[in-house]
Amino acid sequence: MCHVSRVVSSRSGLRLMGCSKWRAAFNFGHLKVQSKLSVFFTMIILFTYLFYCLNGYCDSLPRPVYDQQTKLQNKIVLNDGQEASPEQLGAYNASPVSFFREQLSDLSDSDAPSNNISIANNFGSKKFPQAIIIGVKKGGTRALLEFLRIHPDVRAVGAEPHFFDRFYDKGLEWYRNLMPRTLEGQITMEKTPSYFITKEAPRRVFSMSRLTKLIVVVRDPVTRAVSDYTQTLSKSPGLPSFQNLAFRNATTGLIDTSWSAVRIGIYAKHLENWLRFFPLSRFLFVSGERLVTDPAGEMGRVQDFLGLKRVVTDKHFYFNQTKGFPCLKKPEGSSRPRCLGKSKGRPHPQIPSEVLLRLRDFYRPFNLKFYQMTGQNFGWD
């Protein structure tokens, strides 16, 4: 340690000069050590970053929400990598919050690898469905669900969960985990057409939530029965004829109500079971026929019932003459429009007219009672 005094002498001057040089050299060396340490740690961080990037971990880092929203605003891109169509851009301009919600929610249901930790995977929450399409089989439930999924504020399970009729013993938590993540203002939905004819289903749904909205797509029960038979026949070509299954006794014309294709069409009986738990105001009855001839009109009623803005309109549909069903117009950049699968719109086998007439006579009183219960005349008679 140097001690500098105010002694003015040649020797003191030399001592002072020597101490100054020693201190300067010490400070310079200290700075060099600091600089080397800084470079050393910088290189460690750089090499660590490069190592993780080369192993694919950089892409898993979550991006800020505002960064995702900015990208959506600057260049809206769909999940399949295609740029959004003018209609989708219009939906964004009309309701950017709803559009942004849809894009982020779609990311959460993508088939991304599990090691990719995206912020969208934890965006929103899983809730019990606020609305369920409970019936009926071969009435048009799949078409209704696909049309509803166009709406940015509807999130629905793709496959039928069958919770309230087959897997109820798995518990409500298991059921909720099947649901997609939703944001505030979005509706969670599912469809399982067999709920409508399941005796235990109304009580089970009521136990989950008495506020659940219930949608029933109904169709002329005679046509529905033939369609049901056609589907089964496609899977089991050796099936007996329609008339052999429909009648217990062909001579007397006694209808076999134990056959599910016939039993499902007794709508009034099944509805009575549901009305023991839910008031009529919790139901919406959708005409399967009008869903084909006027899909936009029926979709307007459905959106109103669900408390949604009328986003799905006639501009989304065109009629496919080959299938005999409405299809969704193709998005910009897509090779073809979105139609229902090959199983939809398949030709029905020829059924003797007297068999259909007998079946229609059987259903007539049940239909009239159903009209009275719902306050709607579906025009099947």
Side-chain angles (χ1 to χ4, degrees):
M1 177 176 176
C2 289
H3 177 71
V4 181
S5 63
R6 290 191 171 187
V7 179
V8 182
S9 66
S10 59
R11 180 175 295 179
S12 299
L14 289 171
R15 188 183 299 127
L16 179 62
M17 185 180 298
C19 286
S20 298
K21 288 182 177 180
W22 183 84
R23 183 182 290 121
F26 175 81
N27 289 337
F28 181 74
H30 181 65
L31 289 173
K32 288 179 69 177
V33 172
Q34 282 185 329
S35 178
K36 287 180 179 179
L37 286 173
S38 298
V39 171
F40 177 73
F41 284 116
T42 302
M43 293 299 291
I44 288 177
I45 293 171
L46 180 61
F47 280 116
T48 302
Y49 177 79
L50 290 173
F51 173 80
Y52 277 94
C53 283
L54 289 172
N55 284 276
Y57 288 95
C58 292
D59 294 336
S60 67
L61 295 175
R63 293 185 175 86
V65 174
Y66 71 84
D67 182 53
Q68 295 188 36
Q69 188 171 9
T70 302
K71 289 186 177 181
L72 282 172
Q73 291 172 341
N74 293 337
K75 184 178 181 180
I76 302 171
V77 178
L78 300 181
N79 293 337
D80 58 3
Q82 298 173 346
E83 291 189 25
S85 67
E87 291 179 359
Q88 290 160 324
L89 290 171
Y92 171 79
N93 293 328
S95 180
V97 175
S98 296
F99 188 91
F100 183 51
R101 283 174 177 168
E102 181 188 23
Q103 297 304 312
L104 286 180
S105 299
D106 283 344
L107 288 173
S108 67
D109 295 332
S110 65
D111 296 325
S114 58
N115 65 333
N116 286 346
I117 306 170
S118 170
I119 192 171
N121 289 339
N122 295 316
F123 213 78
S125 59
K126 295 191 175 187
K127 302 172 184 175
F128 293 121
Q130 294 99 319
I132 303 176
I133 301 173
I134 61 172
V136 297
K137 180 185 178 185
K138 305 309 295 179
T141 58
R142 172 54 60 183
L144 177 61
L145 186 67
E146 291 303 311
F147 297 164
L148 271 172
R149 293 175 81 172
I150 303 172
H151 202 292
D153 289 331
V154 172
R155 302 290 296 156
V157 183
E160 296 174 2
H162 283 280
F163 174 67
F164 295 107
D165 61 343
R166 297 181 189 173
F167 304 115
Y168 193 67
D169 59 333
K170 291 183 178 291
L172 284 169
E173 197 58 33
W174 176 87
Y175 180 53
R176 182 165 61 179
N177 284 330
L178 297 178
M179 301 300 125
R181 293 185 180 274
T182 53
L183 303 169
E184 185 179 353
Q186 289 184 318
I187 291 179
T188 304
M189 292 190 66
E190 71 115 316
K191 90 158 182 88
T192 305
S194 53
Y195 290 163
F196 189 60
I197 64 168
T198 301
K199 185 177 180 180
E200 300 81 11
R203 176 181 53 81
R204 292 171 175 177
V205 175
F206 183 83
S207 297
M208 179 189 72
S209 174
R210 64 183 64 191
L211 299 178
T212 307
K213 294 183 177 182
L214 307 166
I215 300 176
V216 189
V217 187
V218 289
R219 182 183 181 189
D220 181 339
V222 176
T223 310
R224 198 222 64 80
V226 175
S227 181
D228 197 338
Y229 171 77
T230 304
Q231 183 183 54
T232 308
L233 185 65
S234 68
K235 299 175 183 178
S236 305
L239 199 69
S241 68
F242 181 87
Q243 49 268 38
N244 286 345
L245 293 171
F247 297 108
R248 285 184 178 178
N249 189 316
T251 305
T252 62
L254 183 63
I255 302 295
D256 187 357
T257 55
S258 65
W259 186 33
S260 63
V262 170
R263 187 177 71 254
I264 291 172
I266 310 174
Y267 303 141
K269 178 181 177 182
H270 305 306
L271 181 58
E272 282 179 345
N273 189 33
W274 282 88
L275 290 176
R276 292 189 182 100
F277 294 88
F278 292 92
L280 194 62
S281 59
R282 306 308 299 175
F283 292 85
L284 177 70
F285 300 95
V286 176
S287 167
E289 286 83 9
R290 285 196 291 271
L291 197 59
V292 172
T293 60
D294 182 22
E298 284 300 283
M299 288 305 300
R301 292 181 61 240
V302 174
Q303 290 170 97
D304 292 345
F305 174 71
L306 295 175
L308 299 170
K309 182 181 177 182
R310 288 198 175 195
V311 172
V312 185
T313 61
D314 54 358
K315 69 180 181 181
H316 291 94
F317 302 100
Y318 85 97
F319 192 80
N320 186 310
Q321 297 290 344
T322 303
K323 295 182 71 70
F325 276 89
C327 294
L328 297 171
K329 290 181 179 178
K330 64 178 181 179
E332 192 71 23
S334 177
S335 59
R336 58 182 179 179
R338 287 172 53 192
C339 286
L340 297 177
K342 294 179 180 179
S343 64
K344 308 300 179 182
R346 61 164 69 93
H348 292 175
Q350 289 293 325
I351 309 295
S353 58
E354 60 271 16
V355 172
L356 298 178
L357 286 173
R358 284 186 181 182
L359 201 56
R360 196 164 296 283
D361 290 338
F362 165 78
Y363 279 122
R364 185 170 291 108
F366 296 108
N367 291 345
L368 293 175
K369 186 175 181 180
F370 185 66
Y371 298 167
Q372 185 183 46
M373 295 171 72
T374 61
Q376 293 179 235
N377 186 340
F378 292 92
W380 298 325
D381 300 293

